[in-house]
Amino acid sequence: MKLKGECKMCKPSVILAGMAVIGLLGSCLAYDLHTRELTPILEKTRPSGAPMRLVENGELRFAVVTDKAAEKMTGKINRTGKSIEPAVADLAKAFEWTTGKMPEIIDENETEKLARYPYWLVVGDSKLARTNGIDVTKLPTEGFVIKSFERGLVIAGRDTSLVEGYGMKPLSQETTGKGTYNGAIDFIERFLGVRFYFPGNGIWKPACVDLVVEPVWYEDAPYFAYRGDGYWPYESTSTKEKYNRWKKYMGENPYGLEFQKAPSFLRFWRIGGVRETFAGHCPFPDRMLKSHPDKIETMFYRSPCGKLWMNREAHIGNYWNVLDLKFADLLVEDYRRLFNSDGKDDPGGYRSACGRKMVSFGVCDTFLPYSDMINHPVVQELNLIAESDIKRDADAALANVYGRFFQYLGNRVGKEFPGTKLGLLIYYNAKCASLDPRWRLPDNVEVNVCDGRLPKWTRSPQAMEKSKQLFREWYEALGNRPVSEAWLYNG
């Protein structure tokens, strides 16, 4: 594989390994909007106009143009991260990588400077973007548009940094969305051929002597609202031993052992995103014990033999009493306290994963043998542990126990807090969906399925068939709706 240098067949163009080459216009960098290396896009009707030679004989014939005041609300009356500013910075850096020259960055109101350039690369919401028919408020969450016009190209997206008051309300569950930045990285990859592979020497920066851009117009948005946490790069650089192990293959890592700098690389992958729904480990047993010392028997499960599954010293070892629906009622009253106080009264540590859009309930990190529950009077009365479930999956024995509890809690949340969803962390004994029609889940329930097979066992057809079956069963239990999240294990 050729990793750098010019194409010997058509100097001074560059052809990337694995990239399809289309219509070379003189000596220009060959780009393919529909390369299989990147996510597919659907082009809109191409605007009229001539091809634009943005780079000619190594010289930049454009300026990066932006409204430098667009994100003035960020950090003052808007709690979110910027999108346009880093988009401008990384676009400029990418051109420096590929041409050796840094483009000038101009405010759209600097008319005299604008007049010096044949073309403009307009970044973010601005008068120029709106003049050319781009309304970022109509784009999908985190979506972006790349559209050419007579004097250049607009890259603009839906950014939370432009929304007044965004993320400032308690319990709003609003996180940063960077549409313009997504568009900038897409341009860098799709038009300049840059590839971001791995922190360190994993950035492919092809030389660009000439770049001609045809009239273009397309939009895109993330398929997944939330996309990973970037944990594995940390695992690759967190210790000197791990750093040296990867250094042999990837070269010097510019972050060294300073992982706090690594997110500047992770953003190239467009990691993160706006998470509209979330289900996590809450409530927390230690907080609940302090808030409800008189409700121990309601909150924690006691087996028929008399064992109380409660551990005051750690998260592990506790087991919520999901057979007692009064525990669900207690959770609802806790959610009410959280809402009525705008998050100040938090009896169970709910704010870590609860808000007005969604409240969360998650099991503790404890697996209960079904033998400790099969003789419980409620289980016996309602026949909650079925022989078919015991045979179905190692984790399915208590599927109906949790199905009953989830159904009741979901209905109560829907009744008491209209418009608020219930997010469930599906884990350990709660991993498998109930197939009993008695416990069909209401429409306001969303689940975050923790399947330890993903992605570690993706090369095993047998393991993947089990995973697919797990998600099929949850699809049916949710009334033919897909799960909203999958908690992946990248060990």
Side-chain angles (χ1 to χ4, degrees):
M1 179 184 293
K2 184 176 182 181
L3 290 180
K4 60 182 179 180
E6 298 175 346
C7 171
K8 301 300 182 182
M9 295 183 291
C10 51
K11 275 190 176 182
S13 308
V14 174
I15 298 179
L16 297 178
M19 177 177 279
V21 180
I22 62 170
L24 290 174
L25 300 173
S27 55
C28 63
L29 180 68
Y31 65 86
D32 179 2
L33 291 179
H34 303 286
T35 175
R36 293 177 63 185
E37 293 185 0
L38 303 176
T39 54
I41 58 167
L42 182 64
E43 288 190 78
K44 293 180 174 290
T45 303
R46 292 192 178 188
S48 59
M52 295 172 288
R53 192 173 290 273
L54 301 183
V55 183
E56 184 174 23
N57 294 325
E59 297 298 322
L60 306 184
R61 305 182 68 240
F62 71 93
V64 175
V65 182
T66 188
D67 177 2
K68 293 183 178 180
E71 294 178 308
K72 61 183 181 298
M73 294 183 293
T74 305
K76 296 180 180 178
I77 54 175
N78 184 326
R79 188 185 298 126
T80 185
K82 292 185 177 182
S83 173
I84 298 173
E85 186 176 294
V88 167
D90 285 350
L91 273 166
K93 192 67 176 176
F95 273 100
E96 184 183 38
W97 285 341
T98 54
T99 70
K101 293 180 173 63
M102 179 76 75
E104 186 174 5
I105 300 169
I106 299 174
D107 185 88
E108 67 171 352
N109 296 308
E110 297 179 284
T111 54
E112 291 185 7
K113 290 184 178 180
L114 289 176
R116 298 203 301 256
Y117 291 92
Y119 301 109
W120 307 328
L121 188 58
V122 181
V123 183
D125 186 38
S126 61
K127 288 181 293 186
L128 281 170
R130 293 189 290 273
T131 298
N132 287 282
I134 296 175
D135 183 352
V136 296
T137 65
K138 294 182 179 180
L139 294 171
T141 300
E142 287 197 279
F144 66 88
V145 57
I146 293 181
K147 183 180 181 181
S148 61
F149 64 104
E150 183 181 1
R151 290 293 300 272
L153 203 70
V154 176
I155 303 172
R158 186 169 176 178
D159 302 318
T160 54
S161 58
L162 304 178
V163 181
E164 185 173 352
Y166 188 88
M168 298 298 285
K169 295 180 181 179
L171 307 178
S172 63
Q173 292 182 312
E174 292 174 328
T175 55
T176 298
K178 299 184 177 182
T180 295
Y181 190 81
N182 292 339
I185 295 299
D186 197 86
F187 177 90
I188 290 169
E189 293 179 315
R190 210 173 293 271
F191 289 85
L192 293 180
V194 173
R195 295 290 183 268
F196 303 105
Y197 293 117
F198 193 87
N201 246 13
I203 303 177
W204 164 230
K205 310 166 186 176
C208 174
V209 179
D210 293 82
L211 174 62
V212 177
V213 175
E214 294 275 3
V216 63
W217 183 11
Y218 67 91
E219 298 178 6
D220 200 9
Y223 186 82
F224 294 102
Y226 185 75
R227 303 175 298 283
D229 61 6
Y231 185 72
W232 67 267
Y234 168 76
E235 279 298 297
S236 304
T237 58
S238 60
T239 68
K240 188 173 182 179
E241 179 186 8
K242 293 175 181 178
Y243 171 69
N244 288 332
R245 183 188 308 156
W246 280 106
K247 179 180 173 181
K248 290 186 296 184
Y249 306 105
M250 303 307 301
E252 290 285 348
N253 188 318
Y255 311 121
L257 298 177
E258 299 179 65
F259 176 69
Q260 64 269 23
K261 297 180 182 178
S264 63
F265 187 96
L266 293 178
R267 74 185 190 190
F268 296 148
W269 294 338
R270 292 174 264 185
I271 292 293
V274 173
R275 191 206 303 252
E276 296 292 346
T277 60
F278 174 68
H281 283 291
C282 86
F284 295 95
D286 57 331
R287 295 285 294 272
M288 295 294 278
L289 280 166
K290 292 178 181 177
S291 301
H292 306 290
D294 58 334
K295 301 289 185 181
I296 289 177
E297 295 288 338
T298 300
M299 297 187 296
F300 297 97
Y301 177 69
R302 186 183 291 277
S303 64
C305 68
K307 178 181 178 180
L308 179 64
W309 288 72
M310 182 188 73
N311 180 9
R312 293 183 180 272
E313 306 301 323
H315 185 74
I316 296 174
N318 295 283
Y319 203 90
W320 298 123
N321 189 6
V322 290
L323 279 177
D324 191 346
L325 299 183
K326 291 181 180 178
F327 175 48
D329 295 332
L330 178 65
L331 292 171
V332 170
E333 293 310 308
D334 277 0
Y335 299 148
R336 194 188 315 280
R337 288 171 58 180
L338 187 75
F339 290 166
N340 290 344
S341 66
D342 275 342
K344 295 177 182 178
D345 185 3
D346 187 2
Y350 296 101
R351 283 197 64 169
S352 64
C354 292
R356 298 191 184 278
K357 294 180 180 179
M358 172 174 284
V359 292
S360 176
F361 174 75
V363 299
C364 301
D365 286 289
T366 303
F367 187 86
L368 181 79
Y370 71 86
S371 57
D372 273 48
M373 191 176 279
I374 196 168
N375 293 317
H376 193 283
V378 175
V379 172
Q380 293 289 309
E381 179 185 353
L382 298 175
N383 191 27
L384 293 178
I385 298 180
E387 188 68 28
S388 57
D389 286 327
I390 295 175
K391 295 179 179 178
R392 172 162 64 110
D393 187 285
D395 300 324
L398 304 188
N400 295 329
V401 171
Y402 279 93
R404 170 178 173 263
F405 184 81
F406 292 158
Q407 181 193 72
Y408 180 84
L409 181 58
N411 284 329
R412 285 231 51 201
V413 168
K415 179 181 178 181
E416 302 295 334
F417 316 111
T420 299
K421 294 184 177 183
L422 170 64
L424 302 172
L425 182 61
I426 303 306
Y427 193 52
Y428 278 176
N429 294 121
K431 179 178 176 180
C432 296
S434 171
L435 305 182
D436 191 325
R438 292 181 296 171
W439 316 122
R440 184 59 52 87
L441 298 174
D443 292 341
N444 66 323
V445 170
E446 302 287 354
V447 298
N448 179 3
V449 175
C450 303
D451 183 0
R453 292 175 287 246
L454 298 173
K456 289 193 294 185
W457 299 104
T458 51
R459 296 189 181 187
S460 166
Q462 297 83 4
M464 286 304 95
E465 186 53 44
K466 291 181 180 179
S467 287
K468 287 190 286 186
Q469 183 62 27
L470 176 69
F471 283 89
R472 286 191 200 105
E473 291 170 354
W474 276 109
Y475 179 85
E476 295 173 6
L478 292 165
N480 296 335
R481 292 185 293 120
V483 304
S484 62
E485 292 187 76
W487 191 314
L488 307 183
Y489 291 79
N490 53 5

